[in-house]
């Protein structure tokens, strides 16, 4: 293992471990979802700006076209966070995160219907596996607790995955632009977009402030720096493989922090979804090289 791959692997592992604890912090903050996302954007923008200034390249590629496209992606990113965070309390952090990992599969679907891309037989196979997994998850939930907002939570988690995939699709148009600059524009746009819905009268304890600061600084600004640094150093196969640390950590944290566990049927369905996502990201069954894995969270 070369020094670069070792460093990149450690960066990727750290980024995924950080991502896996986002759900717990959102729930523990005790704040309205709009407030959590707003303050996450605020502190993330400050962090990314400082890191960019220190690195000397915070606006090297920020032309008018780049800012407009990145801003559109920022709107989709904020909607994605809003839906995902709202899903946590309606299903569970673990299950919502697993469903959220249908992102690469939705990106494939967008490529087919929006960009008219051709899809190989292997990708259709993995899409089928993912759909079967979702049916298992739905069948289990509807038979046990679907009446308590559970189904709405599932729809929100899948909606979050859709908007994240839309963010990725938009960001594809910005090849060559440093990801940190794209992220800075996105969270800055998120800050202004959420101003009308933030409840500034909501009381916040020191603990709540600590959590939203951590979400912005560590779980967005620093995490994105680690993630982008890893992607630049690692082969796609390693990046995609290590990305599945994120949902595994989320399920474990949910179990020990909130005593939430997935039923055997939900676990089987979730495993099928993650397997399908791995198949898409790693290009299993493909003759050509797999596409780059997406950043999450």
């Amino acid at each position: 293992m070369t020094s670069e791959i070792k460093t990149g692997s450690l960066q990727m592992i750290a980024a995924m471990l950080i991502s896996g604890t986002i759900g717990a912090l959102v729930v523990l903050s005790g704040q309205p979802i709009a407030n959590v996302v707003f303050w996450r954007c605020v502190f993330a923008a400050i962090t990314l700006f400082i890191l960019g200034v220190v690195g000397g390249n915070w606006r090297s590629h920020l032309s008018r076209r780049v800012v407009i496209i990145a801003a559109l992606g920022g709107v989709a990113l904020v909607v994605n966070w809003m839906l995902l965070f709202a899903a946590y309390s309606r299903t569970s952090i673990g299950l919502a995160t697993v469903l959220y990992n249908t992102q690469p599969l939705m990106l494939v679907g967008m490529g087919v219907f929006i960009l008219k891309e051709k899809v190989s037989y292997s990708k259709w196979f993995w899409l089928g596996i993912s759909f079967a997994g979702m049916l298992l998850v739905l069948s289990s939930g509807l038979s046990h607790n679907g009446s308590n907002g559970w189904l709405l939570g599932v729809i929100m988690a899948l909606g979050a995955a859709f908007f994240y995939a839309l963010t990725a699709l938009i960001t594809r148009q910005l090849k060559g632009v440093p990801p940190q600059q794209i992220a800075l524009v996105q969270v800055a746009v998120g800050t202004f977009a959420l101003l009308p819905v933030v409840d500034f009268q909501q009381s916040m304890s020191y603990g709540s402030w600590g959590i939203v600061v951590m979400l912005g600084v560590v779980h967005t600004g620093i995490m994105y720096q680690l993630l982008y640094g890893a992607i630049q150093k690692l082969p796609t196969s390693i990046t995609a493989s290590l990305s599945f640390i994120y949902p595994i950590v989320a399920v474990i944290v949910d179990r020990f922090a909130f005593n939430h566990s997935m039923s055997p049927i939900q676990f089987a369905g979730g495993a099928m979804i993650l397997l399908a996502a791995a198949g898409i990201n790693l290009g299993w069954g493909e003759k050509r090289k797999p596409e780059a894995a997406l950043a999450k969270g």
Side-chain angles (χ1 to χ4, degrees):
M1 180 183 292
T2 66
S3 175
E4 184 175 68
I5 290 180
K6 183 177 181 180
T7 300
S9 296
L10 291 174
Q11 289 177 319
M12 187 68 184
I13 291 171
M16 294 300 98
L17 289 174
I18 292 171
S19 296
T21 61
I22 289 175
L25 290 179
V26 170
V27 173
L28 291 173
S29 73
Q31 294 296 301
I33 300 303
N35 286 30
V36 174
V37 177
F38 172 78
W39 291 115
R40 182 185 188 184
C41 287
V42 169
F43 291 112
I46 295 171
T47 304
L48 288 167
F49 175 73
I50 292 173
L51 292 173
V53 170
V54 172
N57 66 341
W58 75 273
R59 60 175 183 176
S60 60
H61 290 69
L62 295 183
S63 65
R64 182 178 179 182
R65 172 184 174 275
V66 168
V67 170
I68 291 174
I69 295 176
L72 292 174
V75 173
L77 182 66
V78 167
V79 175
N80 144 64
W81 283 345
M82 293 279 288
L83 289 172
L84 179 62
F85 293 176
Y88 291 149
S89 61
R90 291 173 172 81
T91 55
S92 68
I93 294 170
L95 183 57
T97 304
V98 168
L99 291 171
Y100 185 56
N101 274 268
T102 56
Q103 302 160 3
L105 308 167
M106 292 192 179
L107 189 58
V108 170
M110 288 180 180
V112 173
F113 294 105
I114 298 176
L115 302 180
K116 307 301 181 183
E117 295 177 346
K118 293 183 178 180
V119 176
S120 63
Y121 290 117
S122 63
K123 285 185 178 178
W124 282 119
F125 172 76
W126 293 121
L127 287 170
I129 293 294
S130 177
F131 183 72
M134 283 190 286
L135 289 180
L136 282 179
V137 170
L138 287 171
S139 66
S140 175
L142 291 175
S143 63
H144 289 88
N145 54 4
S147 60
N148 297 321
W150 183 90
L151 182 58
L152 178 59
V154 168
I155 293 172
M156 286 180 166
L158 294 175
F162 172 84
F163 278 99
Y164 180 84
L166 184 59
T167 304
L169 192 67
I170 294 171
T171 305
R172 276 185 177 182
Q173 312 305 313
L174 299 176
K175 291 181 180 179
V177 180
Q180 295 91 335
Q181 294 182 26
I182 298 173
L184 175 58
V185 174
Q186 290 175 337
V187 294
V189 168
T191 299
F192 290 105
L194 288 168
L195 273 173
V197 296
V198 177
D199 180 8
F200 289 105
Q201 303 303 315
Q202 178 73 30
S203 62
M204 292 181 66
S205 65
Y206 289 117
S208 295
W209 275 115
I211 286 175
V212 295
V213 170
M214 185 179 295
L215 281 171
V217 175
V218 178
H219 289 71
T220 309
I222 294 176
M223 187 275 286
Y224 277 7
Q225 288 289 116
L226 290 168
L227 182 65
Y228 297 147
I231 290 173
Q232 291 170 353
K233 297 180 181 69
L234 296 175
T236 299
S237 58
I238 296 179
T239 303
S241 298
L242 293 178
S243 70
F244 290 96
I245 294 174
Y246 164 47
I248 292 171
V249 171
V251 170
I252 293 173
V253 169
D254 196 23
R255 175 66 180 86
F256 288 98
F258 304 104
N259 200 31
H260 293 159
S261 59
M262 297 167 64
S263 70
I265 293 179
Q266 289 175 340
F267 185 85
M272 291 172 68
I273 290 171
L274 294 181
L275 178 66
I280 293 288
N281 274 336
L282 296 173
W284 291 341
E286 298 283 348
K287 294 182 180 180
R288 56 186 174 81
K289 292 182 180 180
E291 298 176 359
L294 296 172
K296 299 176 182 178

